[in-house]
Structure formats: C-alpha cells, structure tokens
Amino acid sequence: SYDASANVFLSGSPLPIADLVVHRGDNCLYFVVGGRGTASSIFRVGSERPDDPDRHSEATSTDRARQQRRSLEALHRPGISSAEIDRAINQLANDDRQIAFAARIALEHQYTDRWATKVLSHPDDATRLMGLLALTRSDDGSHAGDVVDALMEVELSSLGDQCTLIYLRTWHVHMARHG
C-alpha cells in the first residue's frame, strides 16, 4: 500500500537528528540536531521548485491500494454481509501483503461457518492457503480436520516463495492451537 524510493538530499557527519517535523504552512522540513558531544542547531529544508497542485490531484496506484486496504480494514468487525465476505475472500491472494492480511483479518472476525466452505473449496492455491491460515487462527477446532486435509492436498513444489511461507505458517499455527 506504500511505495518509496531513497533520495539523499541532505547529509552531514555527524548529523545526530534529535527531532523533525514537516510544517504544512510552508511545506518545509525542520529538524534539530545536537547532543552526543555536538553543538545544537535547528535547520529548515525547503524545495527549490514550487509545489505543483496537480501532483496531488491524481490518485496513484499506491493511493488506490491504500484505499482498498482501508476499505477491507473497515470490515474488521463481526456481522458483515455475504458480499463483503466474498470481497474479502477475493483479496486473500492480493500481491500487496497488507491488503491480503487485511482481507484475512476481516474473515477472522466472522463466524467460520459463514466462509469456511468457500475457502476450503477455492481453486486458487494462494487464496486457499491464506484462507486456511484465517480458518486456523479463528476456528474453535471444528474445522481442524478439514484444514489438515486441505494442507495435505497442496502440491508444495508448485508454490512460490510467499505461498510456501503461508503454507508453513498455517501448519505452525495449526499445530500450536489444535495439536
């Protein structure tokens, strides 16, 4: 949901920054240095180019991902609709981990009987594995056998790195909670 790149615009040796703030009035970065045997000072860093108001008007893919994650986080409460459960299930395999985790947590807040069958029978490995993790984390043990059966059916060699980690994490949580 977030995207960043490094750009060195200030350096010093030493530069023990004690505090910093971006002032919204002038869009400048203010920071204080000092301590550790160095003199204290305050600095103001501003941009040489004027702020382009159009730069903030377009929603970037990062903004859309953040909005999507926040809409799923709004479902982190019991009693959501069946359509919202389906929306959460459809996001379990999202490439953005934060979105996938928000979807998983949304399911964990619901009664497992409302969504367990959909997850257990889902054709996509990534969706099914993340759903199995949600089921393992939120189940009282009534679906423990189903989770084990579903995990045993997974072809481990066909999984990517992230799915393999979720697979292993699901086994770990399952063993810790259900023996």
Side-chain angles (χ1 to χ4, degrees), residues 39-60:
S40 296
S41 298
I42 185 168
F43 294 93
R44 175 180 175 246
V45 178
S47 176
E48 291 180 353
R49 61 182 177 176
D51 192 27
D52 180 10
D54 292 335
R55 183 181 75 168
H56 303 291
S57 65
E58 288 185 33
T60 64

Side-chain angles (χ1 to χ4, degrees), residues 17-174:
I17 296 177
D19 198 8
L20 61 92
V21 67
V22 175
H23 188 266
R24 290 185 181 251
D26 60 4
N27 284 334
C28 289
L29 172 72
Y30 291 86
F31 64 97
V32 177
V33 298
R36 302 181 199 121
T38 62
S40 296
S41 298
I42 185 168
F43 294 93
R44 175 180 175 246
V45 178
S47 176
E48 291 180 353
R49 61 182 177 176
D51 192 27
D52 180 10
D54 292 335
R55 183 181 75 168
H56 303 291
S57 65
E58 288 185 33
T60 64
S61 62
T62 304
D63 294 332
R64 286 188 294 276
R66 192 175 310 111
Q67 289 170 348
Q68 186 176 17
R69 177 181 49 83
R70 287 182 178 158
S71 73
L72 287 165
E73 288 171 347
L75 305 179
H76 293 182
R77 58 182 167 68
I80 64 175
S81 70
S82 295
E84 291 169 323
I85 287 175
D86 291 341
R87 184 165 61 103
I89 289 172
N90 290 334
Q91 294 303 317
L92 289 173
N94 195 300
D95 290 335
D96 187 325
R97 283 176 44 131
Q98 293 176 338
I99 292 173
F101 286 12
R104 187 199 77 223
I105 293 168
L107 291 178
E108 291 172 3
H109 279 84
Q110 311 311 310
Y111 289 114
T112 56
D113 291 339
R114 295 186 63 202
W115 55 270
T117 332
K118 293 177 184 179
V119 164
L120 289 165
S121 62
H122 203 282
D124 179 58
D125 282 340
T127 300
R128 189 171 56 254
L129 285 171
M130 188 66 87
L132 290 173
L133 178 57
L135 189 55
T136 299
R137 287 172 43 99
S138 58
D139 189 35
D140 59 2
S142 60
H143 293 95
D146 296 330
V147 170
V148 170
D149 291 344
L151 288 171
M152 295 298 287
E153 291 174 3
V154 173
E155 182 61 46
L156 200 53
S157 63
S158 68
L159 299 179
D161 291 343
Q162 288 301 317
C163 284
T164 302
L165 289 174
I166 295 167
Y167 174 84
L168 295 172
R169 176 71 179 146
T170 304
W171 270 118
H172 177 251
V173 172
H174 181 79

